[in-house]
Amino acid sequence: METKFLEEIDSNSEEVSIKRLNNANRDANEQFFTPVSVGLYMSSMFKPIIKSTIYFLDPGAGVGNLTASFIASIYNWAKKPKVIIAVLYEIDDSLLPELRRSMDYCVDFCKNMDVELRVVIKNEDFIKISAEALKENKEITKYDYIILNPPYKKLGVSSLYKKLTLDINIDVSNYYAAFVALSLKLLKKKSQLISITPRSFCNGLHFKAFRKIILESAKIEKLHKFKFRNDIFNDVLQETLIMFLTNNKQKASDKVEIIESNNDDFSNLVKARKEFSDVVFPNDNENIIRIIKEEDTKIVDTMHKMPCRIEELGINVSTGPVVDFREKLGLLSYEGDLLSIPIIYPENFGEGFIIWPIVGRKPGHLKEDSSNFNRLRPSGFYVLVKRFSSPEEKRRVVASVYDPFKVRSQYVAFDNKLNYFHVEKSGLGGLNIAKGLSLYLNSSLVDHYFRTFSGSTQVNVSDLKGLKYPTVDNMEILGESYGDILPSQKQIDITVRDLVLQ
Ligand SMILES: C[S@@+](CC[C@H](N)C(=O)[O-])C[C@H]1O[C@@H](n2cnc3c(N)ncnc32)[C@H](O)[C@@H]1O
């Protein structure tokens, strides 16, 4: 009975996906439907709540795959509820016929289990309706179970959604974070929430406030990281996270189940139980959510034993302040003139040093002008780190030295696709410090540590600020082993190990 029901749901969803391949609403509303197999796996995490009536929410329901998976999972509960009130929000009315069809299958399936399923489909905007209701303190339905695969788009800073969510102290930069944060406010006591979203919220400044909301309002029970082929993102494999939360207070000694799999067939699961304080470090102001494999524990310990925080070195790191396409017309050029200064992009990264000028894709000269002067930096030794590493690069953290003796100019412009290490917006103390810092950043230790908390190829300033560093003296010694080109990876790792990891 269960198999037939799931086949019906699956074929309903597949039919819609094929029919809507070129549908404008599909892309606008990010209609990627969760495969029923993934939905079933997610729903199997829910713990039965013994109640005669349970309230269930599926915000951004699509054609109802997650609701159907939840209903199917109840089949295995020893004690089933008498009534399920299922509320489904779906903004796109063109999906409603298939959503209703899928819910009819669910009602029939429940009847066979002697459960009454009351389905309430709301063809409404979940963010708007719930944010307004929460703001006005309206009598609002709360739920025992919430399951969601929300849309992933960015929230515009001046959008209505941004305003509505800020009004109720939800400061998020993305639809999925808004959906999860709002859902958390709709949980009853002792209730449960399971989401499937990109892993990107686990680190980075953009999601800091969102992480705070999660940690203040819920207890993390399980985190499952895997690569998911998501056709919304042109078939790229994207690091995805299933998160199981309960409406409880989190304690440092609580255990969190960490699960990893290579893909979404979930046949090879690697599981570990970690203390919460090993997932979110107690003294971490960024509240980064770390998914640390057993074999990486040593790397994390080693990094934490490094002696200095970046501020203790008197060094800072920032994103390059120049956005090339925002510069006034005519200031950028390929040839340059007497008033031009170098503008440095990721394409200027050579073997350990910045190479300029080059025959590159981008115009390498920027004319100094009153409109850009405060974004230029004085000549000096800087360490630059790419903000986005390319898929061919072995390392996520790719650093290079800007040496003013190799690029002669009084000022320099760092493009926004770079992060740059500096001392009060000027260069670092000397060549050896810059080389030492670059060598350290290019080490496997830093790269592996980085991968314990970031699933993307993006390197944020806050990620670099969160690292620990060698002392200035050791940085100078590291720098001495770095000649005219960056040593091999093996050599870098041996040097770092021998000097700073004894
Ligand atoms: C990524 S799809 C997931 C669908 C479904 N939850 C699933 O897992 O198969 C997100 C769904 O949210 C809907 N949606 C987008 N914005 C919405 C909003 N503001 N309110 C309600 N639904 C929304 C889309 O139309 C789409 O069907």
Coordinates of all heavy atoms in Angstrom, one line a residue, residues 13 20 25-26 28-35 42 58-67 89-93 95 122-128 147-153 161 175 179 196 230 232, ligand 1:
S13 N 4.7 14.1 -9.4 CA 5.8 15.2 -9.3 C 6.6 15.2 -10.6 O 7.0 16.2 -11.1 CB 6.6 14.9 -8.1 OG 7.9 15.4 -8.2
R20 N 6.9 21.3 -16.9 CA 7.2 22.7 -16.6 C 8.7 23.1 -16.9 O 9.2 24.1 -16.4 CB 6.9 23.0 -15.1 CG 5.5 22.9 -14.8 CD 5.3 22.9 -13.3 NE 5.6 24.2 -12.7 CZ 4.7 25.2 -12.6 NH1 3.5 25.1 -13.1 NH2 5.1 26.3 -12.0
N25 N 7.4 30.4 -14.4 CA 7.1 30.4 -12.9 C 8.1 29.4 -12.2 O 8.5 29.6 -11.1 CB 5.7 29.8 -12.6 CG 4.7 30.8 -12.8 OD1 5.0 32.0 -13.1 ND2 3.4 30.4 -12.7
R26 N 8.5 28.4 -13.0 CA 9.4 27.4 -12.4 C 10.7 28.1 -11.9 O 11.2 27.9 -10.8 CB 9.7 26.3 -13.4 CG 10.7 25.3 -13.0 CD 11.0 24.4 -14.1 NE 12.0 23.4 -13.8 CZ 13.3 23.6 -14.1 NH1 13.7 24.7 -14.7 NH2 14.2 22.7 -13.8
A28 N 11.3 31.4 -11.7 CA 11.1 32.6 -10.8 C 10.8 32.1 -9.4 O 11.3 32.7 -8.5 CB 9.8 33.4 -11.3
N29 N 10.1 31.0 -9.2 CA 9.9 30.6 -7.8 C 10.8 29.4 -7.4 O 10.6 28.8 -6.3 CB 8.4 30.1 -7.7 CG 7.4 31.3 -7.9 OD1 7.7 32.3 -7.3 ND2 6.4 31.1 -8.7
E30 N 11.8 29.1 -8.2 CA 12.7 28.1 -7.8 C 12.1 26.8 -7.5 O 12.2 26.3 -6.4 CB 13.6 28.6 -6.7 CG 14.4 29.8 -7.1 CD 15.5 30.1 -6.1 OE1 15.2 30.4 -5.0 OE2 16.6 30.1 -6.5
Q31 N 11.4 26.2 -8.5 CA 10.6 25.0 -8.2 C 11.4 23.8 -8.5 O 11.3 23.1 -9.5 CB 9.3 25.1 -9.0 CG 8.4 26.1 -8.4 CD 7.3 26.6 -9.3 OE1 7.3 26.2 -10.5 NE2 6.4 27.4 -8.8
F32 N 12.3 23.5 -7.6 CA 13.0 22.2 -7.6 C 12.3 21.3 -6.6 O 12.3 21.7 -5.4 CB 14.4 22.4 -7.3 CG 15.2 21.1 -7.1 CD1 15.4 20.4 -8.2 CD2 15.6 20.7 -5.9 CE1 16.1 19.1 -8.1 CE2 16.2 19.5 -5.7 CZ 16.5 18.7 -6.8
F33 N 11.7 20.3 -7.0 CA 11.0 19.4 -6.1 C 11.8 18.3 -5.5 O 12.6 17.7 -6.2 CB 9.8 18.8 -6.8 CG 8.9 19.8 -7.5 CD1 8.4 19.6 -8.7 CD2 8.5 20.9 -6.8 CE1 7.6 20.5 -9.3 CE2 7.7 21.9 -7.4 CZ 7.2 21.7 -8.7
T34 N 11.7 18.1 -4.2 CA 12.5 17.1 -3.5 C 12.1 15.7 -3.9 O 10.9 15.4 -3.9 CB 12.3 17.2 -1.9 OG1 12.3 18.6 -1.6 CG2 13.3 16.4 -1.2
P35 N 13.1 14.9 -4.4 CA 12.7 13.6 -4.7 C 12.0 12.9 -3.5 O 12.5 13.1 -2.4 CB 14.0 12.9 -5.1 CG 14.9 14.0 -5.4 CD 14.5 15.2 -4.6
M42 N 14.2 12.2 5.0 CA 14.1 13.4 6.0 C 13.0 13.1 7.0 O 13.2 13.2 8.2 CB 13.7 14.7 5.2 CG 14.8 15.2 4.3 SD 14.2 16.4 3.1 CE 13.8 17.8 4.2
D58 N 4.0 22.7 5.7 CA 4.9 22.6 4.6 C 4.9 23.9 3.9 O 4.1 24.1 3.0 CB 4.4 21.4 3.7 CG 5.3 21.1 2.5 OD1 6.3 21.9 2.2 OD2 5.1 20.1 1.8
P59 N 5.8 24.8 4.2 CA 5.8 26.1 3.6 C 6.6 26.1 2.3 O 7.7 25.7 2.2 CB 6.5 27.0 4.6 CG 7.3 26.1 5.5 CD 6.8 24.7 5.3
G60 N 5.9 26.5 1.2 CA 6.6 26.4 -0.2 C 6.5 25.0 -0.6 O 7.5 24.3 -0.8
A61 N 5.2 24.5 -0.7 CA 5.0 23.0 -0.8 C 5.2 22.4 -2.2 O 5.3 21.2 -2.3 CB 3.5 22.7 -0.3
G62 N 5.3 23.2 -3.2 CA 5.4 22.7 -4.5 C 4.3 21.8 -4.9 O 3.1 22.2 -4.8
V63 N 4.5 20.5 -5.2 CA 3.4 19.6 -5.5 C 3.3 18.6 -4.3 O 2.6 17.6 -4.5 CB 3.6 18.8 -6.8 CG1 3.4 19.8 -8.0 CG2 5.0 18.1 -6.9
G64 N 3.8 19.0 -3.2 CA 3.5 18.3 -2.0 C 4.4 17.0 -1.7 O 4.0 16.2 -0.9
N65 N 5.5 17.0 -2.3 CA 6.4 15.8 -2.1 C 6.8 15.6 -0.6 O 6.8 14.5 -0.1 CB 7.7 15.8 -2.9 CG 7.3 15.7 -4.4 OD1 6.2 15.6 -4.8 ND2 8.4 15.7 -5.2
L66 N 7.1 16.7 0.0 CA 7.5 16.6 1.4 C 6.4 16.2 2.3 O 6.5 15.3 3.3 CB 8.2 17.9 1.9 CG 9.6 18.1 1.3 CD1 10.1 19.5 1.8 CD2 10.6 17.0 1.6
T67 N 5.2 16.8 2.1 CA 4.0 16.4 2.9 C 3.7 14.9 2.7 O 3.5 14.2 3.7 CB 2.8 17.2 2.5 OG1 3.1 18.6 2.7 CG2 1.6 16.9 3.3
Y89 N 1.6 26.0 2.2 CA 1.7 27.2 1.5 C 2.3 27.0 0.2 O 3.4 26.4 0.1 CB 2.5 28.2 2.3 CG 1.8 28.9 3.4 CD1 1.8 28.3 4.7 CD2 1.3 30.2 3.3 CE1 1.2 28.9 5.7 CE2 0.6 30.8 4.4 CZ 0.6 30.2 5.6 OH 0.0 30.8 6.6
E90 N 1.6 27.5 -0.9 CA 2.3 27.5 -2.2 C 1.8 28.7 -3.0 O 0.6 28.9 -3.2 CB 1.9 26.2 -3.0 CG 2.5 26.1 -4.4 CD 3.9 26.5 -4.5 OE1 4.8 25.8 -3.9 OE2 4.2 27.5 -5.2
I91 N 2.8 29.6 -3.4 CA 2.5 30.9 -4.0 C 2.0 30.7 -5.4 O 1.3 31.6 -5.9 CB 3.7 31.8 -3.9 CG1 3.4 33.2 -4.0 CG2 4.8 31.4 -4.9 CD1 4.5 34.2 -3.5
D92 N 2.4 29.7 -6.1 CA 2.2 29.6 -7.5 C 0.9 28.8 -7.8 O 0.9 27.6 -7.6 CB 3.4 28.9 -8.2 CG 3.3 28.8 -9.7 OD1 2.2 29.1 -10.2 OD2 4.2 28.3 -10.3
D93 N -0.2 29.5 -8.2 CA -1.4 28.8 -8.4 C -1.4 27.8 -9.5 O -2.2 26.9 -9.6 CB -2.6 29.8 -8.5 CG -2.4 30.8 -9.6 OD1 -1.4 30.7 -10.3 OD2 -3.2 31.8 -9.6
L95 N 0.5 25.5 -9.8 CA 0.9 24.1 -9.3 C -0.3 23.5 -8.5 O -0.2 22.3 -8.1 CB 2.0 24.3 -8.3 CG 3.4 24.5 -8.9 CD1 4.4 24.7 -7.8 CD2 3.9 23.3 -9.8
K122 N -2.9 26.8 1.2 CA -3.0 28.3 1.2 C -2.2 28.7 0.0 O -1.0 28.6 0.0 CB -2.4 28.9 2.5 CG -3.2 28.5 3.7 CD -2.7 29.3 4.9 CE -3.4 28.9 6.1 NZ -4.4 29.9 6.6
N123 N -2.9 29.3 -1.0 CA -2.2 29.8 -2.2 C -1.8 31.2 -1.9 O -2.3 32.2 -2.4 CB -3.2 29.8 -3.4 CG -2.6 30.3 -4.7 OD1 -3.4 30.8 -5.5 ND2 -1.3 30.2 -4.8
E124 N -0.9 31.3 -0.9 CA -0.5 32.6 -0.4 C 1.0 32.7 -0.2 O 1.7 31.7 -0.3 CB -1.1 32.8 1.0 CG -2.6 33.0 0.9 CD -3.3 33.0 2.3 OE1 -2.5 33.0 3.3 OE2 -4.5 32.9 2.4
D125 N 1.5 33.9 0.1 CA 2.9 34.2 0.2 C 3.3 33.9 1.7 O 2.9 34.6 2.6 CB 3.1 35.7 -0.2 CG 4.6 36.0 -0.1 OD1 5.3 35.4 0.7 OD2 5.0 37.0 -0.8
F126 N 4.0 32.8 1.9 CA 4.3 32.4 3.2 C 5.1 33.5 4.0 O 4.8 33.8 5.2 CB 5.2 31.1 3.2 CG 5.6 30.7 4.6 CD1 4.8 30.3 5.5 CD2 7.0 30.8 4.9 CE1 5.2 29.9 6.8 CE2 7.4 30.4 6.2 CZ 6.5 30.0 7.1
I127 N 6.1 34.1 3.4 CA 6.9 35.1 4.1 C 6.0 36.3 4.5 O 6.0 36.7 5.7 CB 8.1 35.7 3.2 CG1 9.0 34.5 2.8 CG2 8.8 36.7 3.9 CD1 10.2 34.9 2.0
K128 N 5.2 36.8 3.6 CA 4.4 38.0 3.9 C 3.4 37.7 5.0 O 3.3 38.4 6.0 CB 3.7 38.4 2.6 CG 3.0 39.7 2.6 CD 2.7 40.2 1.2 CE 1.9 41.5 1.2 NZ 0.6 41.4 1.8
I147 N 8.2 20.8 7.8 CA 9.3 20.2 6.9 C 9.3 21.2 5.7 O 8.3 21.7 5.3 CB 8.9 18.8 6.5 CG1 10.1 18.1 5.8 CG2 7.7 18.7 5.7 CD1 10.1 16.6 5.7
L148 N 10.6 21.5 5.3 CA 10.6 22.5 4.2 C 11.9 22.4 3.3 O 12.9 22.0 3.8 CB 10.5 23.9 4.7 CG 11.6 24.6 5.6 CD1 11.3 26.1 5.6 CD2 11.5 24.0 7.0
N149 N 11.6 22.6 2.1 CA 12.6 22.8 1.1 C 12.3 24.1 0.4 O 11.5 24.2 -0.5 CB 12.6 21.7 0.0 CG 13.6 21.9 -1.1 OD1 14.3 22.9 -1.1 ND2 13.6 21.1 -2.1
P150 N 12.8 25.2 1.0 CA 12.3 26.5 0.6 C 13.0 27.0 -0.7 O 14.0 26.4 -1.1 CB 12.7 27.4 1.8 CG 13.8 26.7 2.4 CD 13.7 25.2 2.1
P151 N 12.6 28.1 -1.3 CA 13.3 28.7 -2.4 C 14.6 29.3 -1.9 O 14.7 29.6 -0.7 CB 12.4 29.8 -2.9 CG 11.4 30.0 -1.8 CD 11.3 28.8 -1.0
Y152 N 15.7 29.4 -2.8 CA 17.0 29.7 -2.3 C 17.5 31.1 -2.7 O 18.6 31.5 -2.4 CB 18.0 28.8 -2.9 CG 17.8 27.3 -2.7 CD1 18.2 26.3 -3.5 CD2 17.1 26.9 -1.5 CE1 18.0 25.0 -3.3 CE2 16.8 25.6 -1.3 CZ 17.3 24.6 -2.2 OH 17.0 23.3 -1.9
K153 N 16.6 31.9 -3.3 CA 17.1 33.2 -3.9 C 17.6 34.2 -2.8 O 17.2 34.1 -1.6 CB 15.9 33.9 -4.6 CG 15.8 33.6 -6.0 CD 14.7 34.5 -6.6 CE 13.3 34.1 -6.2 NZ 12.2 34.7 -6.9
Y161 N 10.2 41.9 1.4 CA 10.5 40.8 2.4 C 11.5 41.2 3.4 O 11.4 40.8 4.6 CB 11.0 39.6 1.6 CG 10.0 38.8 0.8 CD1 10.4 38.1 -0.3 CD2 8.6 38.9 1.1 CE1 9.5 37.4 -1.1 CE2 7.7 38.2 0.3 CZ 8.1 37.5 -0.8 OH 7.2 36.8 -1.5
Y175 N 16.0 33.9 0.8 CA 14.7 33.4 1.0 C 14.7 32.2 2.0 O 13.9 32.0 2.8 CB 14.1 32.9 -0.3 CG 13.4 33.9 -1.1 CD1 14.1 35.1 -1.5 CD2 12.1 33.7 -1.6 CE1 13.5 36.0 -2.3 CE2 11.5 34.6 -2.4 CZ 12.2 35.8 -2.8 OH 11.6 36.7 -3.5
F179 N 12.5 31.7 5.3 CA 11.5 30.6 5.5 C 11.8 29.8 6.8 O 10.9 29.5 7.6 CB 11.6 29.6 4.3 CG 10.6 29.9 3.2 CD1 10.7 31.0 2.5 CD2 9.5 29.0 3.0 CE1 9.7 31.3 1.4 CE2 8.6 29.2 2.0 CZ 8.7 30.4 1.2
I196 N 15.8 21.2 4.2 CA 16.8 20.9 3.3 C 17.2 22.2 2.6 O 16.3 22.8 2.0 CB 16.4 19.7 2.4 CG1 17.5 19.4 1.4 CG2 15.1 20.0 1.6 CD1 17.3 18.0 0.7
N230 N 21.2 19.6 -8.3 CA 20.0 20.5 -8.2 C 19.9 21.2 -9.5 O 20.7 22.0 -9.9 CB 20.3 21.4 -7.0 CG 19.1 22.3 -6.8 OD1 18.3 22.5 -7.7 ND2 19.0 22.8 -5.6
I232 N 18.1 23.5 -10.5 CA 17.9 25.0 -10.4 C 19.3 25.6 -10.7 O 19.4 26.7 -11.2 CB 17.4 25.4 -9.0 CG1 16.0 25.0 -8.8 CG2 17.6 26.8 -8.7 CD1 15.0 25.8 -9.5
Ligands
LIG1 C1 12.5 24.6 -3.9 S1 10.7 24.4 -4.2 C2 10.4 23.1 -3.2 C3 9.0 22.5 -3.3 C4 8.6 21.5 -2.3 N1 8.8 21.9 -0.9 C5 9.5 20.2 -2.5 O1 10.4 20.0 -1.6 O2 9.3 19.5 -3.4 C6 10.1 25.9 -3.4 C7 8.6 26.1 -3.6 O3 8.3 27.3 -2.8 C8 7.3 28.0 -3.6 N2 7.4 29.4 -3.1 C9 8.4 30.3 -3.5 N3 8.2 31.5 -2.9 C10 7.1 31.3 -2.0 C11 6.5 32.2 -1.1 N4 6.9 33.4 -0.8 N5 5.4 31.6 -0.4 C12 5.0 30.4 -0.6 N6 5.6 29.5 -1.5 C13 6.6 30.0 -2.2 C14 7.7 27.8 -5.0 O4 6.7 28.1 -5.9 C15 8.2 26.3 -5.0 O5 7.1 25.5 -5.3

